[in-house]
Amino acid sequence: MKILVLVSGGDAPGINKFLFELNNAFKDCFAVVGGFRGLIDNNIVPLSSFNPKIYQNEAGAIIKSSRCPEFKEEKYFKKALANAKKFDCLVILGGNGSAKGAKELQDNGMRTIFVPCTIDNDVDGSDYSIGYHSAVMACNFVIENIMPSMEAFNRCCVFEVMGRKCDAIAKAVANMADVDYLIANEVDLDYKKIVKVIKDKYKKGHASSIVLRENITNIQTLCQKLEEESKVTVKYNVIGHIQRGFKPTKLELKNAKAFAVNAIKAIKNSEESHAVLMKKGKIVIEKL
Ligand code: F6P
């Protein structure tokens, strides 16, 4: 059986573990280099050529990823489909957009297996997507290692976390790092409330911390306003791509392996297309 695998959208810690397991399970395992873009261009090489064994515990995506809006255009979709059809099964790791791509390919006769893989943890039907735990731990690491400096001056620091439109990372980090205020959506942007939190902590002789989910407001403007109104120094830190490049946590590696084991099972035990999802802590295999 000839297996093809691709990674689409934002890379996520744990991908390389998944690839390592997949490569071990099949004799003929190939990788698309650079997601759907690579599939259109027929950029396909043996997965083993990327040395998955060496990189299994590292972040990133050894086979490269891409964002490829052209995939939705018929002309390019047909090219991608024709290239995929040279294989028996295509495994797609990505978020909701990639799930749609997987379904589209399946509806056009390509057997596909979809695996949720995005730090945002916003994949429909799955409680978990590969990368999420490491991203949360990366944010916690940054906050833990910046706040002692803030504390030395009783300053406030606003930390912007990723997540696109999803508040999963923001909520988990706010809880884990025990921050003073969370701006997870537009409603939370209550200046009066936030200023009070900053001032109260300052009066008690302490720093304050705020987590801001990305795509809500401009962090620099927000901090200027908070500083003006509270009269407390407000610093900011956009946590950024350390969330994607962070070394996968032990739990991440365990989850990525579990997703891989079940994807392999789905490939071997049936001839249909599936999504491998996590529900209530258990991996389930559902029809795509
Ligand atoms: O989807 C993952 C993600 O990291 C989002 O949280 C973020 O908004 C986006 O990707 C950033 O993408 P890029 O690295 O392409 O700028």
Side-chain angles (χ1 to χ4, degrees):
M1 194 171 5
K2 276 173 85 181
I3 309 296
L4 186 60
V5 61
L6 72 76
V7 173
S8 171
D11 54 286
I15 285 178
N16 294 334
K17 173 61 86 186
F18 183 98
L19 295 174
F20 165 72
E21 297 294 337
L22 192 73
N23 190 55
N24 277 352
F26 298 97
K27 202 160 53 73
D28 275 336
C29 202
F30 292 81
V32 178
V33 185
F36 287 116
R37 174 81 265 158
L39 191 57
I40 294 168
D41 297 341
N42 201 25
N43 193 353
I44 293 169
V45 297
L47 177 54
S48 59
S49 65
F50 288 97
N51 282 320
K53 188 170 187 217
I54 295 174
Y55 299 105
Q56 59 174 309
N57 297 331
E58 304 300 326
I62 46 172
I63 64 173
K64 315 282 180 185
S65 186
S66 68
R67 300 197 190 276
C68 181
E70 308 94 283
F71 182 71
K72 290 185 199 130
E73 291 174 36
E74 199 185 341
K75 180 173 120 191
Y76 294 109
F77 177 80
K78 278 188 171 162
K79 272 180 110 179
L81 180 67
N83 291 329
K85 280 198 170 166
K86 295 170 195 159
F87 297 82
D88 300 304
C89 182
L90 170 61
V91 181
I92 297 177
L93 288 93
N96 279 327
S98 316
K100 275 195 198 128
K103 182 89 180 70
E104 204 63 32
L105 287 164
Q106 128 77 24
D107 291 346
N108 284 275
M110 179 67 215
R111 185 181 174 211
T112 55
I113 303 288
F114 170 73
V115 179
C117 187
T118 162
I119 61 161
D120 299 340
N121 204 24
D122 61 349
V123 175
D124 297 336
S126 191
D127 299 344
Y128 191 82
S129 56
I130 294 174
Y132 172 61
H133 186 255
S134 307
V136 171
M137 294 310 285
C139 295
N140 189 53
F141 169 82
V142 171
I143 297 174
E144 263 187 7
N145 286 283
I146 285 183
M147 283 316 288
S149 170
M150 297 296 129
E151 189 65 28
F153 287 78
N154 297 339
R155 288 170 170 167
C156 170
C157 191
V158 180
F159 297 93
E160 182 180 287
V161 303
M162 283 185 172
R164 210 175 285 278
K165 295 277 172 198
C166 177
D167 60 14
I169 294 178
K171 279 186 169 161
V173 170
N175 190 31
M176 189 176 289
D178 194 21
V179 303
D180 298 296
Y181 195 87
L182 166 65
I183 307 169
N185 52 52
E186 282 74 9
V187 181
D188 295 333
L189 208 52
D190 181 333
Y191 288 94
K192 252 182 138 176
K193 250 191 187 169
I194 307 172
V195 168
K196 185 172 174 343
V197 169
I198 298 172
K199 281 168 96 174
D200 285 353
K201 286 295 292 268
Y202 185 83
K203 274 184 214 151
K204 286 181 190 153
H206 287 298
S208 49
S209 51
I210 297 172
V211 161
L212 167 70
R213 193 258 292 159
E214 67 174 352
N215 298 320
I216 295 177
T217 188
N218 178 284
I219 193 165
Q220 211 173 344
T221 319
L222 168 73
C223 292
Q224 265 166 14
K225 196 166 168 180
L226 293 176
E227 186 164 299
E228 271 162 30
E229 291 182 18
S230 68
K231 308 279 181 280
V232 174
T233 303
V234 181
K235 300 281 183 186
Y236 66 86
N237 188 278
V238 177
I239 296 183
H241 286 79
I242 190 176
Q243 290 161 96
R244 299 229 300 257
F246 203 64
K247 199 166 173 71
T249 61
K250 288 260 158 62
L251 178 64
E252 199 72 74
L253 295 171
K254 189 175 154 219
N255 283 341
K257 183 172 176 177
F259 272 104
V261 165
N262 283 277
I264 292 160
K265 216 188 272 174
I267 297 168
K268 287 187 173 167
N269 294 351
S270 123
E271 289 186 349
E272 290 181 272
S273 292
H274 288 101
V276 183
L277 308 167
M278 192 185 277
K279 293 186 192 281
K280 294 184 182 155
K282 280 202 174 134
I283 308 256
V284 297
I285 300 169
E286 286 186 356
K287 278 213 178 131
L288 198 63

